[in-house]
Amino acid sequence: MPLSGSPEKLSGSLKTLLLRGLLAGLLAGLLAGTVGFVIGEPKIEAAIAIEEAAQGGHSHGEEEEPLVSRSGQKFGEFLALGLTGLALGALYAAAANVARRHTNLSGPKLALGLAAGGWLAITAVPFFKYPANPPAVGDPETIADRTWLWVAVVLLGFAAVGLAVYVYKLSRGQLETVRLIAGIATFAAVVAVGYVALPGIDEVKSDFPASLLWQFRVSSLTVTTTLWLGLGLAFAALTEFAGRRSPRIETAAA
């Protein structure tokens, strides 16, 4: 039996991991929703005001009422991020269930490593190629093309992270620094090739305030980063708590 407090590999059934992932994802989603409400909503309001001003405000006759009010949209952000957190938590737990068979990392370290990999693949790589735009930016007629390009760059992110991990494991026996450099170089090379191959998108009008655009993108990145960070930390904390609780239950049963 390992010494008390020593790191243990991730254990538990798939059902246990899924429940843990769902709880961690829900907590992370609500936390990300709070961050988005505080730092993101003011930027969205400012962008909507610019869009309405460009359309002439309410001077073109009777305006149609929006399907969802701004208050409803703000509440919907919590709901959307909560559901996103649940979905990510389930996928994350399934990935953890597979990854634990191929690593000797402790449960908490594996949890944080998976969160870092997910953030790189799904958030960082897509963001620096196709950053988020506020409501007043973007042509509605190109939304389908932009969606497919986003899917393509997410697949690029997964490929870059996967190949980096593969090269790192392949260089087993080398100095740890050499292994890290090899993995990082592989990641950077794959991303660079993908960025060059994928077309660029620039639908920002020249008169749109650059400062607002930058602030919106930073707030968007902060929200998604909070989601992944919260997911990783919550799953790691729940894993560590379960690991410390198990020996106590076994001792009591004995």
Side-chain angles (χ1 to χ4, degrees):
M1 180 179 294
L3 296 175
S4 177
S6 62
E8 298 182 41
K9 292 187 63 176
L10 183 64
S11 61
S13 65
L14 176 59
K15 179 181 178 181
T16 299
L17 295 182
L18 285 174
L19 290 174
R20 191 179 302 168
L22 289 172
L23 177 57
L26 178 60
L27 293 173
L30 294 177
L31 177 61
T34 302
V35 172
F37 180 80
V38 173
I39 69 171
E41 279 301 322
K43 313 301 183 299
I44 294 177
E45 293 284 359
I48 290 176
I50 292 175
E51 185 178 32
E52 290 178 347
Q55 295 174 352
H58 303 283
S59 61
H60 297 294
E62 186 178 351
E63 286 282 326
E64 293 185 2
E65 289 294 327
L67 294 176
V68 182
S69 66
R70 282 297 296 145
S71 297
Q73 292 173 14
K74 292 176 181 178
F75 170 77
E77 181 178 14
F78 282 93
L79 178 61
L81 284 170
L83 293 175
T84 299
L86 286 172
L88 277 179
L91 294 173
Y92 175 90
N97 182 55
V98 175
R100 63 177 171 174
R101 305 169 191 170
H102 305 282
T103 181
N104 291 320
L105 290 175
S106 66
K109 286 184 178 179
L110 176 59
L112 295 175
L114 284 174
W119 177 81
L120 281 172
I122 301 177
T123 297
V125 172
F127 177 84
F128 289 104
K129 178 62 177 178
Y130 302 125
N133 286 324
V137 175
D139 183 357
E141 295 182 0
T142 65
I143 189 170
D145 293 336
R146 286 185 278 124
T147 299
W148 283 112
L149 287 174
W150 181 84
V151 171
V153 80
V154 168
L155 294 177
L156 170 66
F158 277 117
V161 171
L163 286 173
V165 172
Y166 176 75
V167 169
Y168 176 82
K169 293 179 71 68
L170 193 65
S171 58
R172 185 182 291 108
Q174 302 291 329
L175 294 174
E176 187 66 19
T177 304
V178 173
R179 298 180 70 192
L180 287 173
I181 291 174
I184 293 172
T186 300
F187 174 84
V190 173
V191 171
V193 171
Y195 276 13
V196 171
L198 290 171
I201 298 177
D202 185 8
E203 297 182 348
V204 181
K205 298 177 182 179
S206 59
D207 59 346
F208 192 87
S211 59
L212 177 58
L213 179 64
W214 171 251
Q215 291 168 4
F216 177 86
R217 288 176 172 176
V218 169
S219 66
S220 175
L221 180 61
T222 302
V223 171
T224 50
T225 299
T226 299
L227 179 62
W228 280 104
L229 182 61
L231 176 59
L233 289 175
F235 195 93
L238 291 171
T239 296
E240 192 169 17
F241 175 77
R244 290 185 176 183
R245 186 183 176 191
S246 295
R248 297 178 185 174
I249 295 177
E250 292 175 1
T251 302

